[in-house]
Amino acid sequence: MEKAIVIDGLTKVYKNGRGIWDISLEVDQGEIFGFLGPNGAGKTTAMKIMTGLMRADSGDVRIFGASISQNYVQAMKHVGCLIETAESYPYLTAYENLKLFSRYYPEVDDKRIEECLQITGMLKYKKEKAKRFSLGMKQRLGIAAAILSRPRVLILDEPLNGLDVEGMIEMRKLIKGLAGEDKTTFFISSHLIHDVELTCTKIGVIYGGRLTNVDDTRNILSNYSTLENFFISEVDRNGRV
């Protein structure tokens, strides 16, 4: 089966000496990949390169075989993403925001917009202006926008940010549902270890800009009592506590 995402030797170094070095990994179709690491570890840098928002110094990313650097339009055809913060137009309603985004996708109609609002728990707020939304509501609207075009790959940077406990549970259910029923592939970054453990089928740990390990969640939890213990041991093993 063709890999959904292949990251090959990705390197990006900033003037301050921070960045990411030689990151390589593969994600299968329908997998929920958790990119786990502390703030400042390089998660967002890698994801910005994956979505074409930033150019790598070296290395490449292929999505369903299409290279981000050489065939960007084809690579991004199947991708929905939410990077850093969920941006919306404050003076437009939830529905109007999605209607505006839907102009990029000829196949998205009003029925699909309503469906995405329903899926993310935002349907009851569809006539409210985004400026009144809490951080968690903005995050849900961002997810609704990301899934509008029924993407085969969803790249989500800290998608549980700002959500309350109920919202986190709903978002986990949504992610697992899309992966299971639609075979949507997820690439999710987070520093919330517990949520990654409950959501992701495969995990990569990034620390100090380097990928320390990639393994199935099931394998990790058969060797460690919690994902947190695994993460701490990875940090110790790499000698950068």
Side-chain angles (χ1 to χ4, degrees):
M1 190 196 287
E2 188 179 27
K3 299 285 180 186
I5 302 168
V6 176
I7 298 175
D8 187 15
L10 216 55
T11 297
K12 172 77 180 177
V13 184
Y14 298 108
K15 285 178 181 171
N16 63 8
R18 286 168 63 177
I20 55 172
W21 289 269
D22 198 27
I23 288 178
S24 297
L25 58 90
E26 296 180 348
V27 182
D28 292 327
Q29 191 174 344
E31 229 166 27
I32 306 172
F33 183 87
F35 203 34
L36 183 63
N39 292 329
K43 301 188 299 294
T44 300
T45 296
M47 294 172 99
K48 280 184 172 176
I49 294 168
M50 288 172 74
T51 49
L53 296 172
M54 187 182 279
R55 196 181 288 262
D57 295 342
S58 60
D60 198 12
V61 179
R62 292 189 302 282
I63 295 173
F64 288 109
S67 159
I68 284 284
S69 58
Q70 291 162 23
N71 196 352
Y72 180 71
V73 173
Q74 180 61 30
M76 292 304 289
K77 199 163 88 175
H78 307 295
V79 177
C81 62
L82 178 62
I83 306 290
E84 287 192 319
T85 51
E87 296 296 340
S88 54
Y89 293 95
Y91 291 98
L92 296 181
T93 65
Y95 174 82
E96 288 165 346
N97 265 285
L98 293 192
K99 186 72 177 168
L100 194 63
F101 297 140
S102 75
R103 290 163 62 188
Y104 296 109
Y105 313 111
E107 72 283 3
V108 173
D109 55 13
D110 280 10
K111 187 180 170 214
R112 178 60 183 163
I113 291 172
E114 297 262 331
E115 207 174 80
C116 291
L117 288 167
Q118 175 75 48
I119 288 168
T120 53
M122 288 297 289
L123 193 57
K124 57 186 174 233
Y125 307 113
K126 79 172 198 175
K127 292 182 178 174
E128 274 191 42
K129 289 187 175 172
K131 66 174 181 176
R132 297 201 188 99
F133 291 167
S134 66
L135 178 60
M137 288 162 79
K138 285 177 182 167
Q139 204 72 357
R140 287 169 190 247
L141 187 59
I143 303 277
I147 64 173
L148 262 182
S149 64
R150 294 187 173 86
R152 293 168 70 193
V153 172
L154 267 169
I155 298 172
L156 305 175
D157 187 17
E158 304 281 0
L160 301 169
N161 219 3
L163 294 178
D164 57 19
V165 174
E166 190 185 4
M168 283 183 181
I169 292 167
E170 283 172 13
M171 203 54 73
R172 281 204 296 268
K173 204 184 290 181
L174 165 66
I175 291 166
K176 286 179 173 177
L178 287 171
E181 291 159 31
D182 301 345
K183 289 284 173 277
T184 306
T185 305
F186 283 86
F187 192 100
I188 301 171
S189 83
S190 185
H191 61 277
L192 303 169
I193 294 179
H194 181 62
D195 286 293
V196 170
E197 183 176 322
L198 293 173
T199 312
C200 301
T201 54
K202 193 174 187 178
I203 286 153
V205 173
I206 183 170
Y207 195 83
R210 297 182 191 275
L211 196 65
T212 70
N213 202 345
V214 177
D215 203 351
D216 291 338
T217 311
R218 195 178 294 168
N219 288 349
I220 293 168
L221 295 177
S222 67
N223 293 311
Y224 296 87
S225 58
T226 63
L227 189 58
E228 189 173 352
N229 287 348
F230 166 72
F231 179 74
I232 290 164
S233 83
E234 279 300 299
V235 172
D236 283 347
R237 193 171 63 80
N238 286 274
R240 294 190 292 273
V241 181

